[in-house]
């Protein structure tokens, strides 16, 4: 009887956890975007069906957020070198809504004058109503917990001409088709980020077809770090603070992107 009681207790706990998790993940369906909190906006923009993070440290790489980060420490208590990419599907409505809502919160929208609100609303409406019927748009930010690594990343990405995107930058469909970008933009000044736009149609066929379950964004992370730097903790390993060139593959699950019965990406 005790074993049976424990079994049902475990099942009940799992069901409760599942219900709580589902409720937390579905706030974008249950709440109007104008009521989202700052934490909920952050969730949409950093860890949701429309946003993914890829990170790598000396401990390894992962697409899952939180596995490696700026606070990861080695055995000696020193920060473990880390670099990361965060990808937002800016052509999706939830990402644009979260961006506007976050701007409302940060700029104290409720305390604005009527004239200020009118100006803000006009800009927000223009951003929210942008037409993405023909393109899929990604916004990618990058960084590291070491300034020298971050500068190396910026030097690479900001040196790429807008009319000459990296040859290994693709949107990869569920069938393995590789779609080249229609536009790439990495301004030489400003934030550590770049934008990539892909067509929704290729050879008169939708890039993402009915019944598809996923698609991925692929690009190559450049080699960064000082390859001649000596590791004082372990002089026999002089390249511990170096990240080599590596493929970054970020997957998006389409079945999680339903809003009011319609895919939004």
């Amino acid at each position: 009887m005790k074993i049976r009681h424990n079994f049902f207790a475990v099942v009940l706990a799992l069901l409760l956890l599942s219900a709580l998790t589902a409720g937390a993940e579905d706030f974008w369906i249950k709440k109007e975007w104008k009521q989202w909190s700052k934490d909920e906006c952050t969730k949409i923009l950093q860890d949701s069906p429309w946003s993914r993070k890829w990170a790598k440290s000396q401990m390894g790489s992962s697409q899952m957020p939180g596995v490696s980060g700026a606070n990861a420490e080695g055995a000696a208590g020193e920060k473990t070198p880390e670099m990361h990419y965060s990808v937002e599907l800016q052509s999706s409505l939830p990402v644009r809504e979260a961006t506007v809502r976050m701007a409302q919160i940060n700029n104290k929208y409720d305390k604005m004058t009527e004239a200020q609100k009118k100006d803000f609303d006009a800009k927000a409406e223009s951003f929210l109503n942008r037409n993405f019927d023909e393109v899929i748009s990604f916004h990618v930010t990058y960084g590291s917990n070491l300034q020298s690594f971050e500068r190396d990343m910026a030097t690479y990405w900001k040196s790429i001409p807008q009319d000459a995107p990296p040859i290994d930058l693709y949107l990869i469909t569920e069938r393995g088709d590789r779609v080249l970008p229609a536009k790439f933009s990495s301004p030489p000044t400003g934030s550590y980020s770049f934008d990539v736009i892909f067509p929704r149609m290729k050879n008169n066929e939708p890039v993402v077809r009915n019944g598809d379950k996923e698609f991925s964004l692929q690009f190559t992370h450049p080699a960064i770090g000082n390859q001649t730097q000596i590791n004082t903790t372990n002089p026999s390993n002089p390249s511990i603070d170096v990240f080599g060139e590596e493929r970054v593959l970020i997957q998006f699950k389409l079945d999680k992107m339903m809003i009011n019965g319609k895919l939004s990406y």
Side-chain angles (χ1 to χ4, degrees):
M1 290 293 293
K2 185 176 181 180
I3 294 176
R4 186 178 180 183
H5 174 76
N6 289 341
F7 171 77
F8 283 115
V10 170
V11 171
L12 179 60
L14 290 174
L15 288 173
L16 288 172
L17 178 61
S18 177
L20 289 172
T21 303
E25 291 178 345
D26 293 341
F27 70 85
W28 51 80
I29 295 176
K30 298 177 180 179
K31 294 173 63 175
E32 185 189 13
W33 67 268
K34 294 179 181 179
Q35 303 302 318
W36 290 348
S37 67
K38 189 170 186 177
D39 287 344
E40 288 170 336
C41 291
T42 300
K43 174 75 173 175
I44 290 285
L45 297 172
Q46 295 185 5
D47 179 24
S48 74
W50 304 277
S51 60
R52 309 299 294 162
K53 181 176 180 180
W54 185 95
K56 181 183 176 82
S57 73
Q58 294 295 343
M59 296 181 290
S61 60
S62 174
Q63 186 179 314
M64 297 300 292
V67 173
S68 56
N71 294 322
E73 294 187 350
E78 298 177 349
K79 283 187 176 181
T80 301
E82 175 267 357
M83 55 88 176
H84 57 265
Y85 291 89
S86 295
V87 182
E88 301 171 7
L89 262 169
Q90 202 163 73
S91 48
S92 70
L93 184 58
V95 163
R96 283 176 282 142
E97 290 173 338
T99 300
V100 171
R101 177 58 180 151
M102 185 71 87
Q104 285 183 334
I105 295 170
N106 290 339
N107 290 284
K108 298 179 172 58
Y109 180 85
D110 292 341
K111 296 183 179 180
M112 289 182 181
T113 65
E114 289 304 315
Q116 289 172 329
K117 286 183 178 179
K118 184 176 181 180
D119 181 62
F120 182 98
D121 290 345
K123 293 177 181 177
E125 184 177 2
S126 175
F127 178 70
L128 290 170
N129 292 333
R130 286 179 61 186
N131 190 320
F132 291 95
D133 289 347
E134 297 182 357
V135 297
I136 303 171
S137 178
F138 294 90
H139 179 69
V140 183
T141 58
Y142 53 85
S144 171
N145 62 337
L146 297 182
Q147 288 187 355
S148 60
F149 282 16
E150 200 163 66
R151 285 195 296 267
D152 285 351
M153 294 172 75
T155 297
Y156 171 77
W157 287 111
K158 291 183 178 297
S159 67
I160 299 174
Q162 294 193 30
D163 58 349
I167 59 173
D168 51 3
L169 175 60
Y170 298 108
L171 184 150
I172 303 179
T173 70
E174 186 175 271
R175 294 164 301 284
D177 297 334
R178 297 190 173 195
V179 182
L180 291 169
K183 184 177 180 180
F184 173 85
S185 176
S186 182
T189 58
S191 63
Y192 289 169
S193 66
F194 58 88
D195 294 283
V196 192
I197 294 176
F198 294 91
R200 289 186 184 262
M201 300 287 290
K202 179 183 178 182
N203 298 328
N204 296 320
E205 293 285 343
V207 167
V208 178
R209 301 178 186 175
N210 290 335
D212 283 359
K213 296 179 179 179
E214 64 181 35
F215 59 80
S216 303
L217 177 68
Q218 174 189 292
F219 55 87
T220 297
H221 169 72
I224 60 173
N226 183 357
Q227 299 188 29
T228 62
Q229 182 177 350
I230 300 298
N231 175 19
T232 57
T233 304
N234 184 7
S236 65
N237 184 8
S239 61
I240 191 170
D241 287 337
V242 175
F243 288 112
E245 185 176 279
E246 182 172 346
R247 184 183 75 148
V248 175
L249 184 68
I250 300 177
Q251 295 178 315
F252 291 87
K253 301 293 185 180
L254 286 161
D255 62 337
K256 305 293 185 181
M257 297 183 182
M258 300 296 291
I259 296 292
N260 298 324
K262 183 179 179 181
L263 276 174
S264 180
Y265 64 91

